[in-house]
């Protein structure tokens, strides 16, 4: 009995220790991210000097995400129409246009594209910086008096924050058009394409599109800083590169979701 | 001391630990201006840590690292244009930026700090590349270079900063004896061309003998002994003797 009690105490201590360690780890990442974010903001004066690197990053992020974002947005748009139509059985289906339009622009477009960006560009950033840290390239930059936040983080930060809103706009358009395509070809949907677009036009405001793009700006900036921070935390050993990649994606997903809620609340206040 | 007289490196009572492991333990060491000191020691003794502390890349837990009287960590944060002297480091794995060509890697410091552009930049970079006989590789990328070429490109990058102090971390690691001799030759050329304080850490005693003015043995976190290279073979300190015999120099 006593032995069982001790084992139970050990187990519960183990769980508490693990929870405590996770909380500390999270706070450490948060603190370091804020630190890198402030240092990166302090390097904004060097944006003109880094214009070439920013453009290169934008092209890299855009080309690596464009095809898959088209694919994703297309099928999400179609699924949205099919599922909503099913739920609306017995009700007028004209509202499909506004439901797809508002869902894509305000929520699905920004969040899906942010997840996609975290999975593609964010993980690549974390891996790149982790490898540079492990192979002492970061230390080499420091001996050359080159600031990491200006030379490495700033271009990724600006490029991601600018590219994600554009990707979101693109995904919104593809998703809405895919919804129209589903309306046109699916025999279970009893609404015309014209009515779909008419309803979309009646309810979708320009501010909804801008809200989604502003979300993209924030998500992009947050993903870049988190991915760079996690990459730079790598110390020794190649396994830290793969760990950084996975951590960057997981932390970006969590943070994007939290910021999504915060922005949604702020927008509703105004 | 003015930089034209060289840079003196002084480590006073330096302690550095990682977790429970005390890597350097109240270590004292002086590298005189213009001297080439080679620090030898077994793997894991903290040779690279000593170099990173000297470069101001890490801070000691206690003690001081002074470069002509300036604390190394203070020196590291002084902007490039205002530094009283220049220090460069050649890393064990070369640490070239893979996204840049050899030319761009070597030009990076000068370009980044606006110290040269156009034809001047071209000339300075080509001079650095010529001094390590790598001018033909200017447009290649690090992944296209052999180990020896990468090491020479890293030396060229360091030389392009026109340093007063040059630190080498295991310059012959992963190199065969012929490539090691190539690197030794490059260091000889640097020594004859510039009055520079050079610190090399290595466990390769053959190489150490080729380039050193003085050899210091790092053991148990401290400098256990230090001898002029001309006196190396007569050294009696048992751990150093063991090194000499293991390297088949005796």
């Amino acid at each position: 009995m006593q032995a069982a009690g001790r084992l139970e105490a050990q187990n519960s201590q183990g769980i508490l220790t693990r929870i405590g360690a996770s909380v500390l780890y999270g706070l450490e990442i948060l603190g370091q991210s804020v630190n890198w974010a402030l240092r990166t903001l302090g390097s904004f004066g060097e944006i003109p000097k880094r214009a070439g690197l920013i453009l290169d990053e934008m092209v890299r992020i855009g080309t690596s995400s464009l095809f898959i974002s088209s694919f994703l947005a297309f099928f999400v748009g179609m699924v949205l129409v099919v599922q909503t139509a099913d739920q609306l059985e017995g009700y007028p289906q004209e509202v499909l246009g506004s439901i797809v339009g508002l869902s894509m622009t305000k929520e699905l477009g920004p969040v899906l594209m942010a997840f996609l960006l975290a999975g593609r560009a964010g993980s690549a950033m974390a891996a790149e910086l982790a490898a540079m840290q492990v192979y002492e390239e970061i230390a080499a930059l420091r001996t050359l008096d080159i600031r990491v936040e200006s030379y490495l983080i700033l271009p990724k930060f600006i490029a991601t924050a600018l590219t994600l809103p554009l990707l979101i706009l693109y995904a919104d358009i593809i998703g809405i058009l895919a919804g129209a395509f589903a309306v046109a070809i699916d025999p279970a949907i009893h609404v015309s394409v014209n009515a779909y677009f008419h309803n979309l036009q009646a309810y979708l405001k320009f501010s909804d599109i801008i809200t989604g793009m502003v979300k993209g700006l924030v998500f992009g900036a947050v993903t870049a800083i988190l991915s760079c921070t996690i990459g730079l935390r790598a110390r020794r050993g190649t396994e830290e590169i793969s760990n950084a990649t996975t951590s960057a994606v997981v932390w970006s997903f969590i943070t994007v979701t939290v910021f999504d809620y915060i922005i949604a609340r702020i927008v509703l206040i105004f | 001391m003015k930089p034209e007289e060289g840079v003196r490196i002084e480590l006073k009572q330096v302690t550095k630990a990682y977790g429970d492991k005390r890597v350097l333990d109240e270590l004292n060491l002086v590298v005189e201006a213009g001297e080439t000191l080679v620090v030898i020691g077994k793997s894991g003794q903290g040779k690279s840590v000593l170099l990173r502390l000297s470069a101001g890349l890490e801070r000691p837990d206690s003690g001081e690292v002074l470069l002509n009287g300036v604390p190394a960590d203070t020196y590291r944060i002084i902007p490039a244009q205002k530094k009283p002297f220049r220090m460069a480091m050649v890393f064990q794995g070369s640490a070239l930026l893979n996204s840049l060509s050899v030319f761009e890697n070597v030009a990076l410091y000068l370009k980044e700090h606006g110290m040269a552009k156009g034809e001047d930049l071209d000339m300075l970079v080509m001079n650095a590349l010529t001094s390590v006989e790598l001018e033909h590789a200017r447009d290649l990328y690090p992944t296209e270079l052999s180990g020896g070429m990468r090491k020479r490109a890293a030396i060229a990058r360091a030389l392009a900063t026109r340093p007063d102090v040059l630190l080498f971390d295991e310059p012959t690691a992963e190199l065969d004896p012929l490539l090691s001799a190539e690197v030794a030759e490059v260091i000889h050329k640097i020594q004859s061309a510039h009055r520079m304080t050079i610190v090399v850490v290595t466990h390769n005693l053959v190489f150490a003998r080729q380039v050193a003015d003085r050899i210091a043995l790092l053991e148990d976190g401290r400098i256990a002994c230090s001898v002029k290279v001309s006196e190396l073979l007569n050294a009696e300190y048992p751990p150093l003797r063991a090194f000499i015999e293991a390297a088949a120099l005796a």
Side-chain angles (χ1 to χ4, degrees), chain A residues 49-50 132 135-137 139-146 151, chain B residues 52 57 76 80 83 91 95-97 100 108-109 112-113 157:
Chain A
K49 189 176 167 184
R50 306 288 177 216
M132 290 184 79
Y135 297 119
E136 296 191 301
E137 291 169 36
L141 284 176
R142 289 181 61 204
T143 62
L144 295 171
D145 296 312
I146 296 171
Y151 187 73
Chain B
R52 291 173 71 87
L57 292 172
R76 182 51 52 218
K83 279 193 160 48
F91 289 83
L96 296 168
L97 302 191
L100 304 180
L108 190 59
Y109 176 85
E112 186 67 19
H113 301 297
R157 182 174 66 180

Side-chain angles (χ1 to χ4, degrees), chain A residues 167-226:
Chain A
L167 268 179
I168 289 168
L169 183 65
Y170 175 73
D172 291 348
I173 295 167
I174 297 286
I176 289 167
L177 290 177
F181 181 66
V183 165
I185 63 160
D186 197 319
I189 298 167
H190 310 292
V191 65
S192 70
V193 173
N194 269 348
Y196 170 87
F197 278 117
H198 183 74
N199 184 256
L200 175 83
Q201 227 172 353
Y203 287 94
L204 183 68
K205 297 191 290 286
F206 183 65
S207 63
D208 297 325
I209 298 169
I210 296 298
T211 303
M213 290 177 76
V214 169
K215 276 186 177 181
L217 190 88
V218 176
F219 296 167
V222 166
T223 301
I225 286 293
L226 266 173

Side-chain angles (χ1 to χ4, degrees), chain A residues 222-235:
Chain A
V222 166
T223 301
I225 286 293
L226 266 173
S227 305
C228 290
T229 302
I230 290 167
L232 288 168
R233 281 171 57 88
R235 283 295 169 260

Side-chain angles (χ1 to χ4, degrees), chain B residues 170-243:
Chain B
E170 298 282 5
T172 60
E174 297 160 26
L175 298 186
D176 61 42
L178 291 175
L179 291 176
S180 298
E182 263 184 33
V183 176
E185 184 59 33
V186 170
I187 295 178
H188 276 305
K189 275 169 81 176
I190 296 168
Q191 286 165 326
S192 56
H194 314 273
R195 180 178 162 77
M196 209 184 276
T197 308
I198 299 176
V199 183
V200 181
V201 303
T202 181
H203 54 258
N204 182 342
L205 197 54
V206 176
F207 176 80
R209 239 183 118 199
Q210 287 173 320
V211 299
D213 294 328
R214 186 161 60 99
I215 294 176
L217 175 70
L218 181 64
E219 196 184 38
D220 297 329
R222 293 177 184 206
I223 298 298
C225 77
S226 128
V227 293
K228 284 186 182 167
V229 74
S230 55
E231 296 162 3
L232 177 71
L233 296 182
N234 301 323
E236 287 176 2
Y237 184 64
L240 185 56
R241 277 266 27 113
F243 240 96

